[in-house]
Each structure stands twice: as structure tokens, then as C-alpha cells.
Amino acid sequence: MQVTITVNGQQRTDDVEPRLLLAHYLRETCGLKATNIGCDTTSCGACTVIVDGLSVKSCTVLAASADGATVTTLEGLAGPDGELHPMQAAFRSEHGLQCGFCTPGMVMAAIGVLSDNPDPSDREVREGLEGNLCRCTGYHNIVRAVRTAAQAGPSAGQVPA
Amino acid sequence: MSIMGTRVVRTEDPLFLTRGATYTDDLVDDRLAGALHATFVRSQVAHGRLLSVDASAAREAPGVVAVYTAEDIDLDPLPAGLPMVPPAMQRPWLARDTVRFVGDLVAVVLTEERYQGEDAAELVAVDIDPLPAVVTTADAATDKVLLFPEAGTNVMATFGEPAPANFFDGCEVVVTQPIVNQRVAAVPLETRATAAAWGEDGRVTIWCTNQGAQQAKGEIAGWLGLDPAQVRLITPDVGGGFGAKIGADPEYAFVAWLAKQAGRPVRWSESRSENLVGMLQGRAQDQVVTIGGRRDGTVEAYSLQIDQDAGAYPRVGLVLPTLTMLMTSAVYAFPKVHSYARALATNTTSIGAYRGAGRPEATAAVERALDAFAAEIGMDPAEVRRKNLIPKFDEPYTTKSGATYDTGDYTAALDRVLQAAGYDELRAEQARRRERGDDRQLGLGMSVYVEITGADTGFGAAESASLEVHPDGTATVLTGTSPHGQGHATTWAMLASEQLGIPVEKITVIHGDTDRIPRGGGTMGSRSLQQGGAAVHKAAIELVDLAKQRAAEVLEADPNDLEVDLASAGISVRGTPGTGVTFAQLAEKEPLLVNTRFEAAGPTFPFGAHLAVVEVDVESGKAELVRLVAVDDAGTIVNPLLAEGQRHGGYAQGVAQALLEEVLYDADGNPQTSTLADYPFVSATELPSFELVDMVTPTPVNPLGAKGIGEAGTIGSTPAVHNAVVDAVSHLGVRHIDMPCTPMRVWRAIQHAQQGGAN
């Protein structure tokens, strides 16, 4: 079947199997490999992307059901001149990543957290990120990164149009 | 100003944060064009006779190129590996007559596309006649059901002898406590993945997610009967390892063999449920500790008995008790220490290394034993520790269990952490809550630990490094270590920059390619900085010497009158900076390159102390960690930002073992935790932010003064949190709770104690 999806600002039309997961569509069909798959049960959140303004786990969404949607992945965050999104910059400055596997999903989920609540407490950040697992950082620096990004203002909770 | 000891942000991060790292499953490479996908069919039965494997329907399925069962394989079985293991305990590539754990390999399907592989694997009909499963070490030890009947026993190996009967004679108090150090899963977020492609030159290139390319290459070549020169192994970015990605996995070698058979490249990337039954797991020791001494708090004798669950087939897990035994004395000057271990086969996933690998088990045992002893004599656990700690030492100290520690000051570590936490006030608060009979009781738990890192027992004491400065002023470091999140690209660049003056961002660090780096020990056992980093440091010094010799000719000066000019990244005449020649200029004439090897004089022994504060709801049994205060003394710190990150990650894993994590099997050997919906992986909500206290005791063992830091957090935090939970309910009569301290376990312990039972 045919789907038309706007991915990181570019509209594209592809022929896909009806059962194809959005995560695999992004990785294999679009060649956007930042979005990772870490579990089969929507538990780890490594595949989190932003679909029509909401952070969602792309391993539970069919590409078919994203027909007509606007999707932003990690690759779509930085500016055209390479300028990091405030959330990317905060993850770097606070050492909020180690192996990097959870990072794309974590960054997208963190943007979702600030989108809902621009000035969260530590506890609110932790609750907002509960669906995203990290094995390396102990979450300590991820929480700091989200708080640091919040100081950059409302842009930290938004993705580029 | 020196760059050493500064918080340099990682040079690898901009790419990781904008395009993502390149893990094995992300590879886009011409050599992998047209790759087939491998899908393994695994046993759903823990122990049974394999009656038949019918692949006929699968062979007809869309996209299927081939299906292999045991009868299609002409490879020798995987060797039992170690001399002490009965030779009959070898693993076939695909199960032939018997399956021995849920996850055992039965068949493999090669398809054009990944989804087709999942479909076709479902069509392979596997007929198994179940046998009784051996799930616990206690069952295994009876030898009533044998995994390998030809071996005549389930015992893979024994280490030492049981303690003599009179070992505790003369002690006023003797406390014996069985302790379960439960089986946990490493769960790197990147599951296992590999890809293999054969070239026309008869060489195979294997990409896989691994902590040490050179070791994995050697194992794969050996298993497949290849000349090592035929194998190139590349580890791209690796999404976490935690010990479980040490060495080759049979699947990696198998995929390389399949690529040869198919005449096409082959890729494999496992699902999480496959990972949770197929990847090596950790810990899994059933221990009995006995501690004896005087009522004044002096411990006179300590013994540790270990039954190591090794899983279905012999892997590195079976020798981990030897590390536990080496570290039995821990931080204490006990006059008599004894240990003994057995490794037993069970119908479960094989055990391997997991963060700390054998050492956390030693610390967990002794720290629990000390609390049990303190409770028995009615003394504060901090006081009992102070009475028995090895006093501060600057000269090597050899323990009763045979380890020679480099430097240590354990009392200072304990005192600092108690002071930072406000221990006395916390005890007062605990007393108030007990007095009031609050629902939420406070528990304080501590641990003092020492670990062995960079040991040459299996980890490798030597490491290679090469360093080249290019005519454009950039430099390249090749290292035999193999980062998977630790940030070597940044830290190794700092070590070179410190000597050369070349900025960190102009230094590229390359790792994990056996054609470019033939020698290397990989990243494991917290060895990287003290051995790989020290090798880079040495290479940079040697490069300076080489540059001075070359510069002497250019500048027509005596080499003894020359010095490094960090500001210009070159060599200048002493006292006249800026007048010399840069490394880049020297490299224009001929390559400016050194290859070196650093061999450490011995392992190092980082140490520390942790204090955990928990609140336990005595009505529900739920324990919540509210504070973790930690001293982790790893000697000289090169990059505090990254060292702190290692500590945080370690705490999370250690806390999770104490409170949550456990791989569970039912009585028939069926895994109960084979997805992340079932396996209680710790999330951000279960953890507080951590309170780090600094302490630096350099080691003389290497020129950096650095000890390992990667596993420290895990080792110290588990017993601290475990002790805190028991402490929170000790006034109700509870003496011990096995990990993980889940609400159900804690609640049951309280009920049991209140009914007058002993725990």
C-alpha cells in the first residue's frame, strides 16, 4: 500500500507492507538510522520520534497508520548550519549520554516532556521519562540535561517546523 | 594550564546527537550489499530429547534461501573451553540430540528480508520430548538429572576445598547466613548483532557488537578452524556491553560460516526476547557466609562458600568464583579467611561477565555478613567495620585470600561518606520513626569495598597504542581498548594533547578493527584507562622523543637543548618558545609515527564506601531509595565529567540488583522474564540523583596514577542498598532478606519475623 509521510520536513510517498512498523519504515525505507529499536514490547523507548507534535514510540505504530502525518526524528532537530537544538546541546554539555543507543529516543521524549511542562522539577522529569530506558547514565545527567534545556526557553520543547 | 583533570565534553557527541551512532545494525556498506538475514530457531523447552526438526514447510516459504538444522552442519562442536571442565560438556552449533535451555539453537533460516525470516522460522516444526529440568544449583548438585550424562556429573569445576570443621573454634559468636546473589541480565540497549562478508581473497570481514575485537576474532577463527589472518573483525559503535559483550558469541561465528555457505553476506540482529534468553547473564551465585569473632566487634574468622550457577554450557561464568575468592578478604584484616566454590550446570542461559564480574559477589557477601554479625552482637555496623578495616597503607598489602593491594585508606573512605551523609542525624531520625511506629521506616546501609581492576588474570596486563601526527596538524590514535559508551575518543585525545599541545578536537581515536589494530585487550574489567590510556600516554612521550631527534637536525641543535612547545604543538629550543618546528612540519618530511605497548606492573585496587538511605513502607513492603552518598577512589581522574558518568551508571545497576532486577525461571526452566515488560529494568522514577564525594589516592602501578572506575558504582551500591532495606525493618526482627528486595519479599520477611520466625 502507498503512504505519504512528511519526514523531517520532506514529504515522501512509499509503497509499504501493511504490517511494516514505523520504526522500520524510518530506518530501512527512509535510511534514517538514528531511531533505534531496543525491545519488542514498547518498553524501552529507544524508537521514540515526534509524530504530529506528540512523542510516540515508533515500534508500536504502523507506517500505514502514519499516512499523512508529520514525523520528526533526531536527524531533523539541528539547524541547517548544524546548530544543535537546545535539547541536543544540553545532552552534550551535561554528559547525558554514554553508549548513545537510547539517546535519539531519549532526546525526542525529553522534548515531549518540555512541550507538556516547560519548567519541570527533577521528579517531573523523571516521571516524564519513565517510558525511556537507559542502561549507562543512571539517568542522573539526563535529568540535569532536561532541566538545563528548559532554561533555554520554549524552543527546547519544540521541533523545527 | 593542563587539560588533565578538566571536564572536557565528548568529541563523539555531536555526531551521536545529530545523526546517531553507527551500530552494527545501522551499517550501510558496499560489502554488505544484498545481505541475507539470519533468523535462529531456538528451543522453547529447557531440557529434552530432540526427536525431529522438520524444516520442509519453512524451506518453501517466501524469501527463504536456506534452512540449516544440525544434520546440515559439519563444524566441530564448540569446545568446553577450560581444562577443568569435563570434555563432554561441549556445545553443538545446533542442538542434535538434546536441548539444554530455553534459547538453545535448533535451526537457522536465511531469507532475503528480515520479516520473511520471522515468518519462516515459525514454520520450522521442532518435536521435543521433555526431560526433567535442573533449574537450581541445589538440584544440580544432586546429579539426579544430568545435563551431559557422558560427563557423569553436573559439576563443571571446583575451586579449593570446603572449610575445615574447626575453622571457627574459639569464636565467641558465629553467624551463618545463606545469601542469594541472584541471576541478572546485562540488558545492553543494543541487542546482539553481527554481519559477515567474504571477499574474493578468501578473507572474511565480521562486524559485531563487542567489547574487544581482537579476542573475539581469535575465538571465531579458532571455532571455525580458520587461519586468524583470514579474519578481520570490526566493532563499530557499540550500544552498551556491561561485560556480556566480552568474547565472541557462537551466533557471530555461525553467521560468518553461513555467509560462506550461502556465498552472500549475512546479517543478524536479535530481538529483545531473544537477547533475554540467548545472551550471557550475570551473578547467579548461591553463597553461604560464616563469620565468627568476639562480642567486642572483632572478627576472627570468615568463610565464603559459593555454588556458581554456570548455566547450560560452560562459558566464562564458571570461572568467576575464582575472582570472588581472590577478593574474599575485601577491605578487612580478618586473621582467618577461607573460600570454596563449585560451578554447576543447569538448564538455564549460560552465565558470563556482568559489570564487576565476580567481584561484586565478594563485596555483597562480606558486607551482608558484617551487618549480620553487628546485629548479633548489637553494635552499630559502622563501628564493627572500623574495628576490622585494614589500616591505611602506602606499600603493597597482601591479604589472606591472596591479593596484593596497591594503596588504600578504607577508614577515610568510610568516614568521609558517613560525614557527608550526616550519619548521626540519620540514625537519630531512624530512632524517632521507630519510636513513633511510623509506616515509613528509615533504613541506613553501608558498604566499604575494594575491587581488583586491570588484572592480568584474563583481562590482559598489556595494551597497545599508536600515535601519528599528520602534516595538516591533526593526529590519529589507534588503541587496543574498545569503548562502548566510556568516551575513550575524548579521554585518549586528552592524554595525547597533554603531551603534544595538539587540540583534542584535532585528534581522532580509532579502535575495534583488527586489521588496523592487531593487538589489544578490549574494554573490560575497568582496565581501559590504566592500561589503554597509559599506553597512549607512553606513545605521546615516545613521539615527543622522536620529534626531538628529528628537530635536532632541522634546528641544528642538541636534542638535550630541545623541549616541547605546547602552545605551537611542536619542538623548540629551551627557553625560546615559538622559534622551533611544529610536529606537523616534521610530519611533512617523513611520517611522524610511533607504535608502543604498555605493560602494567600489576592490577590496581580502587576502593570506596557507599551509604544508602531507604524508606520502607512496612505495610506494603515497598522500599524506596531516597539517597545514595558515595566515595569511589579510583586514583587520578583524567576527565571528571566522564568518571562521574561511569559512577552514576554503576550506581543505577547496583541499586537495581538490590531492589528490582532478577532473571526468573519456573520449575520447568521456562524463563519468566524474557521481555522488557517482564524484566524489571530500572527506570528514572526508581532512582534519586546521586551524591558524589571525591577522594583521590593515586596508584604507583602506572604513570597516570589511575585505577579503574567502570565497575566501582555497581560494587559499592548493591550491598549498601541491600543492607539499608534490612536495616529499615531490623527492629521488627528481620535479619536478612534475599535480593532483590521487592515489596513481596520485604513484606513476607516482616510477617515471618512478627510470627516469631528467624529469617
Side-chain angles (χ1 to χ4, degrees):
Chain A
M1 64 175 295
Q2 255 193 5
V3 294
T4 300
I5 304 176
T6 301
V7 181
N8 296 335
Q10 302 279 314
Q11 193 184 73
R12 52 181 295 157
T13 299
D14 296 286
D15 205 20
V16 300
E17 263 195 86
R19 62 174 175 169
L20 184 71
L21 296 169
L22 179 60
H24 285 133
Y25 169 79
L26 293 169
R27 288 178 54 79
E28 309 303 333
T29 311
C30 305
L32 296 167
K33 303 280 192 176
T35 300
N36 291 319
I37 301 172
C39 69
D40 325 314
T41 46
T42 329
S43 305
C44 81
C47 65
T48 304
V49 298
I50 292 181
V51 179
D52 292 335
L54 292 174
S55 57
V56 301
K57 295 179 178 180
S58 62
C59 75
T60 350
V61 177
L62 295 169
S65 70
D67 189 25
T70 296
V71 178
T72 306
T73 71
L74 184 84
E75 292 97 329
L77 289 183
D81 55 355
E83 189 192 350
L84 297 180
H85 182 279
M87 192 62 74
Q88 292 171 312
F91 266 70
R92 185 176 190 210
S93 66
E94 300 299 334
H95 189 35
L97 66 157
Q98 290 184 21
C99 84
F101 197 86
C102 76
T103 306
M106 196 66 83
V107 167
M108 303 316 278
I111 291 171
V113 169
L114 293 192
S115 167
D116 290 344
N117 178 357
D119 187 21
S121 65
D122 276 11
R123 177 47 47 185
E124 287 166 338
V125 172
R126 287 180 181 277
E127 284 167 2
L129 294 178
E130 191 180 11
N132 286 68
L133 301 179
C134 170
R135 194 57 151 175
C136 296
T137 66
Y139 304 104
H140 182 108
N141 284 348
I142 292 175
V143 174
R144 284 170 47 137
V146 178
R147 303 272 322 255
T148 298
Q151 291 164 16
S155 62
Q158 296 161 1
V159 295
Chain B
M1 194 187 105
S2 172
I3 195 171
M4 301 288 277
T6 57
R7 304 171 73 84
V8 178
V9 296
R10 298 202 313 184
T11 54
E12 50 269 66
D13 284 353
L15 192 61
F16 278 27
L17 283 163
T18 55
R19 289 291 172 271
T22 301
Y23 307 103
T24 300
D25 198 43
D26 299 338
L27 287 167
V28 177
D29 190 298
D30 287 347
R31 290 166 288 184
L32 292 171
L36 297 169
H37 284 271
T39 306
F40 288 99
V41 177
R42 293 174 181 271
S43 175
Q44 302 290 320
V45 174
H47 194 198
R49 284 190 193 86
L50 186 56
L51 302 178
S52 68
V53 183
D54 181 357
S56 53
R59 289 195 169 100
E60 300 303 315
V64 173
V65 173
V67 183
Y68 293 85
T69 66
E71 54 194 47
D72 307 312
I73 310 289
D74 61 358
L75 290 163
D76 290 335
L78 293 151
L82 294 154
M84 69 280 267
V85 180
M89 292 185 175
Q90 55 189 9
R91 180 179 184 174
W93 292 87
L94 294 175
R96 182 172 290 277
D97 305 310
T98 308
V99 292
R100 295 188 178 84
F101 71 103
V102 172
D104 213 349
L105 298 177
V106 174
V108 61
V109 179
L110 290 184
T111 56
E112 296 288 346
E113 293 174 25
R114 188 175 298 192
Y115 280 33
Q116 293 167 338
E118 297 288 332
D119 292 343
E122 295 272 314
L123 299 174
V124 176
V126 182
D127 190 7
I128 296 170
D129 185 16
L131 293 165
V134 180
V135 181
T136 64
T137 56
D139 271 358
T142 66
D143 282 339
K144 281 184 189 154
V145 175
L146 296 173
L147 271 71
F148 302 89
E150 321 84 82
T153 178
N154 290 321
V155 179
M156 287 185 185
T158 59
F159 307 99
E161 298 290 334
N166 61 356
F167 194 70
F168 292 92
D169 283 3
C171 294
E172 283 176 11
V173 181
V174 178
V175 180
T176 296
Q177 179 65 57
I179 297 173
V180 176
N181 202 301
Q182 81 272 27
R183 173 188 288 254
V184 293
V187 206
L189 276 192
E190 182 202 16
T191 57
R192 292 179 298 168
T194 192
W198 288 78
E200 289 178 0
D201 57 0
R203 297 186 77 218
V204 62
T205 303
I206 299 168
W207 295 261
C208 66
T209 179
N210 196 272
Q211 294 175 223
Q214 295 80 9
Q215 181 184 339
K217 169 191 157 161
E219 288 180 355
I220 289 174
W223 292 342
L224 296 180
L226 299 171
D227 181 336
Q230 277 180 277
V231 181
R232 178 182 192 181
L233 196 134
I234 299 171
T235 56
D237 290 325
V238 170
F242 313 111
K245 290 180 181 172
I246 296 173
D249 274 7
E251 287 91 339
Y252 299 162
F254 204 178
V255 164
W257 183 83
L258 291 168
K260 181 77 168 176
Q261 304 302 304
R264 287 172 64 176
V266 176
R267 304 180 78 137
W268 172 65
S269 179
E270 70 179 351
S271 65
R272 178 58 62 187
S273 44
E274 192 177 12
N275 175 267
L276 278 167
V277 298
M279 186 182 229
L280 296 179
Q281 298 177 343
R283 308 282 188 259
Q285 287 188 2
D286 293 315
Q287 305 169 329
V288 179
V289 296
T290 308
I291 185 165
R294 296 202 295 268
R295 292 208 170 269
D296 70 358
T298 311
V299 175
E300 293 170 314
Y302 172 67
S303 89
L304 171 64
Q305 182 184 313
I306 302 163
D307 275 348
Q308 173 74 55
D309 179 354
Y313 296 102
R315 295 291 295 273
V316 68
L318 84 97
V319 296
L320 293 181
T322 60
L323 276 173
T324 313
M325 293 165 75
L326 182 66
M327 299 310 291
T328 305
S329 295
V331 288
Y332 300 106
F334 302 153
K336 291 170 70 184
V337 173
H338 182 274
S339 60
Y340 164 65
R342 299 185 291 188
L344 297 146
T346 62
N347 292 115
T348 61
T349 300
S350 290
I351 293 294
Y354 173 62
R355 205 162 187 170
R359 291 155 285 158
E361 295 89 330
T363 305
V366 74
E367 290 302 292
R368 203 69 275 293
L370 273 173
D371 267 29
F373 184 74
E376 182 66 29
I377 61 174
M379 187 178 278
D380 187 283
E383 238 4 80
V384 174
R385 282 174 175 79
R386 279 201 195 93
K387 266 190 180 287
N388 292 284
L389 287 170
I390 298 166
K392 181 182 180 190
F393 57 97
D394 300 317
E395 297 292 322
Y397 178 98
T398 300
T399 70
K400 289 285 187 294
S401 51
T404 301
Y405 300 164
D406 51 357
T407 50
D409 188 354
Y410 309 134
T411 306
L414 176 62
D415 287 345
R416 280 190 196 203
V417 88
L418 296 183
Q419 163 112 34
Y423 184 68
D424 293 340
E425 173 48 35
L426 286 166
R427 281 284 178 216
E429 167 65 14
Q430 179 185 53
R432 286 192 289 272
R433 292 197 197 189
R434 287 181 176 182
E435 183 75 18
R436 292 195 300 256
D438 284 3
D439 284 347
R440 288 176 75 81
Q441 288 292 328
L442 203 64
L444 309 180
M446 69 196 73
S447 71
V448 189
Y449 72 88
V450 57
E451 60 162 327
I452 178 170
T453 67
D456 56 5
T457 49
F459 302 146
E463 193 48 85
S464 69
S466 78
L467 173 60
E468 180 170 12
V469 179
H470 309 290
D472 64 358
T474 64
T476 303
V477 171
L478 302 185
T479 176
T481 65
S482 205
H484 34 285
Q486 294 88 346
H488 295 183
T490 307
T491 308
W492 283 205
M494 288 170 70
L495 291 164
S497 179
E498 171 76 4
Q499 302 299 326
L500 305 178
I502 297 173
V504 163
E505 54 275 18
K506 288 191 169 184
I507 301 172
T508 303
V509 177
I510 292 172
H511 56 84
D513 178 344
T514 59
D515 270 15
R516 300 190 70 175
I517 308 153
R519 294 181 307 185
T523 290
M524 56 198 74
S526 294
R527 68 185 294 280
S528 287
L529 179 62
Q530 55 187 311
Q531 287 161 348
V536 173
H537 172 78
K538 185 175 173 215
I541 289 170
E542 289 179 9
L543 189 127
V544 167
D545 287 343
L546 177 64
K548 277 183 185 168
Q549 289 167 28
R550 303 256 184 90
E553 292 174 30
V554 175
L555 300 174
E556 295 181 343
D558 186 319
N560 294 322
D561 293 335
L562 299 179
E563 65 183 4
V564 178
D565 180 14
L566 292 174
S568 65
I571 303 293
S572 62
V573 179
R574 196 179 303 278
T576 54
T579 58
V581 57
T582 66
F583 296 118
Q585 287 166 338
L586 290 169
E588 280 173 13
K589 306 182 86 169
E590 60 179 312
L592 188 58
L593 160 74
V594 294
N595 281 301
T596 198
R597 183 171 180 275
F598 170 78
E599 182 155 359
T604 62
F605 293 85
F607 62 91
H610 289 196
L611 191 281
V613 183
V614 302
E615 284 185 338
V616 174
D617 182 337
V618 295
E619 294 297 316
S620 69
K622 183 172 168 51
E624 187 183 345
L625 178 67
V626 291
R627 289 178 68 193
L628 184 75
V629 188
V631 168
D632 299 296
D633 187 331
T636 307
I637 302 295
V638 175
N639 186 334
L641 186 71
L642 305 193
E644 286 167 14
Q646 290 295 301
R647 292 168 71 182
H648 298 154
Y651 304 149
Q653 285 179 263
V655 171
Q657 186 183 4
L659 294 181
L660 294 169
E661 288 194 30
E662 181 173 32
V663 173
L664 285 170
Y665 290 90
D666 72 10
D668 296 322
N670 298 304
Q672 306 296 294
T673 46
S674 57
T675 71
L676 283 184
D678 305 316
Y679 188 77
F681 192 110
V682 69
S683 81
T685 52
E686 284 106 4
L687 296 168
S689 291
F690 308 110
E691 300 168 52
L692 278 59
V693 182
D694 289 329
M695 178 164 164
V696 174
T697 308
T699 178
V701 168
N702 61 64
L704 300 177
K707 304 182 179 186
I709 190 67
E711 295 149 302
T714 319
I715 293 172
S717 64
T718 306
V721 175
H722 189 187
N723 282 336
V725 176
V726 178
D727 182 63
V729 293
S730 62
H731 64 297
L732 303 175
V734 175
R735 287 292 175 86
H736 181 75
I737 304 167
D738 270 323
M739 297 189 295
C741 298
T742 58
M744 180 62 90
R745 279 213 176 88
V746 174
W747 183 83
R748 279 192 178 143
I750 296 169
Q751 299 305 310
H752 189 66
Q754 289 183 337
Q755 286 154 21
N759 289 112

